[in-house]
């Protein structure tokens, strides 16, 4: 039996570190471009298409995504496909307890990770028209801080980008190290359950 993990590309480095192949001898991973988050309908179509391909191969499937489009959990439930727990990729990268502690500490926390940082113009500035100060104020008026989730494979050269974004959005900056322990435990459990 083969296990196919259908994952958002933001988890590429995390899965390189975790190596889910250690939990099951036949694990393959399909990464989907994070840019599709800007187009929820296209994201939905691509996830369902990759599930269709994996089913044709006879793979057991598990999904490594947050709730990135409204009906995702309903679709997965109907198909009997488990999803790694977590509302957002940020929660999955930090672990649920740590993520919620940060939100409780400051609800106006804007989380970013490497992929969003390196593609901020394409993912945020252009589609949200953030070059317009009024649009920027409208989107970010309730945010107080920018929290960069640093992963072990992130290059040190990313920090100037983080500083540029925090200045651009007028948010104080903080750096939090990712914690893969909860994600690792969830992947191990799902692989052992035959999913």
């Amino acid at each position: 039996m083969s296990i196919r993990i259908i994952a958002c590309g933001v988890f590429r480095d995390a899965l390189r570190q975790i190596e889910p192949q250690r939990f099951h001898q036949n694990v393959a991973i399909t990464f989907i471009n994070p840019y599709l988050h800007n187009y929820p309908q296209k994201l939905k179509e691509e996830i369902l298409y990759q599930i269709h391909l994996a089913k044709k191969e006879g793979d057991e499937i598990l999904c490594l995504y947050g709730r990135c489009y409204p009906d995702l959990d309903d679709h997965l439930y109907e198909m009997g496909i488990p999803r790694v727990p977590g509302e957002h990729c940020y929660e999955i990268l930090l672990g649920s307890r740590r993520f919620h502690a940060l939100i409780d500490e400051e609800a106006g926390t804007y989380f970013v990770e490497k992929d969003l940082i390196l593609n901020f113009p394409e993912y945020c500035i252009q589609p949200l028209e953030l070059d317009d100060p009024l649009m920027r104020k409208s989107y970010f008026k309730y945010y107080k801080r920018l929290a960069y989730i640093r992963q072990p494979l992130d290059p040190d050269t990313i920090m100037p980008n983080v500083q540029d974004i925090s200045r651009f959005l007028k948010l104080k900056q903080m750096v939090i190290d990712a914690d893969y322990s909860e994600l690792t435990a969830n992947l191990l459990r799902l692989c052992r359950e035959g999913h």
Side-chain angles (χ1 to χ4, degrees):
M1 180 191 68
S2 295
I3 294 175
R4 169 71 54 176
I5 300 174
I6 296 175
C8 180
V10 301
F11 296 111
R12 189 179 299 274
D13 286 350
L15 292 178
R16 279 176 62 197
Q17 290 283 105
I18 294 168
E19 296 181 54
Q21 294 82 358
R22 294 180 297 135
F23 310 146
H24 190 283
Q25 59 183 0
N26 294 313
V27 174
I29 304 168
T30 296
F31 290 106
I32 295 176
N33 191 329
Y35 183 65
L36 290 180
H37 284 83
N38 282 356
Y39 306 96
Q41 184 59 34
K42 289 182 180 177
L43 175 62
K44 172 180 171 179
E45 289 167 4
E46 184 62 20
I47 290 173
L48 294 176
Y49 176 66
Q50 294 301 332
I51 287 171
H52 168 73
L53 292 180
K55 279 183 172 285
K56 273 178 67 175
E57 294 294 317
D59 295 342
E60 289 289 331
I61 304 164
L62 67 90
C63 187
L64 179 50
Y65 262 89
R67 288 195 176 131
C68 295
Y69 69 82
D71 322 347
L72 177 61
D73 281 341
D74 293 336
H75 290 138
L76 295 175
Y77 179 77
E78 287 166 11
M79 293 182 282
I81 296 171
R83 181 175 69 80
V84 171
E87 291 290 315
H88 315 280
C89 61
Y90 310 116
E91 181 178 351
I92 295 169
L93 289 170
L94 287 171
S96 185
R97 184 177 299 160
R98 237 168 120 218
F99 174 78
H100 288 289
L102 288 161
I103 293 294
D104 290 344
E105 178 185 287
E106 175 53 78
T109 302
Y110 182 63
F111 292 93
V112 293
E113 47 66 51
K114 181 184 75 173
D115 190 69
L116 180 59
I117 293 163
L118 294 178
N119 297 286
F120 195 73
E122 296 83 4
Y123 288 10
C124 295
I125 293 177
Q126 292 160 13
L128 301 177
E129 300 177 15
L130 296 181
D131 278 326
D132 180 338
L134 292 176
M135 294 296 283
R136 201 156 60 242
K137 184 177 179 183
S138 170
Y139 278 109
F140 288 92
K141 62 184 171 185
Y142 298 114
Y143 287 101
K144 302 284 189 295
R145 66 184 184 186
L146 179 139
Y148 160 43
I149 301 172
R150 179 173 56 198
Q151 299 181 69
L153 296 178
D154 285 4
D156 292 338
T157 53
I158 202 168
M159 279 311 298
N161 301 63
V162 177
Q163 291 156 0
D164 288 345
I165 293 168
S166 66
R167 274 194 298 270
F168 178 70
L169 299 177
K170 296 183 176 159
L171 301 174
K172 62 185 177 186
Q173 169 195 309
M174 65 184 300
V175 179
I176 315 155
D177 288 321
D179 179 353
Y180 298 151
S181 55
E182 189 175 300
L183 173 57
T184 302
N186 284 323
L187 287 171
L188 175 60
R189 173 178 56 81
L190 290 169
C191 286
R192 284 186 172 165
E193 285 173 0
H195 287 300

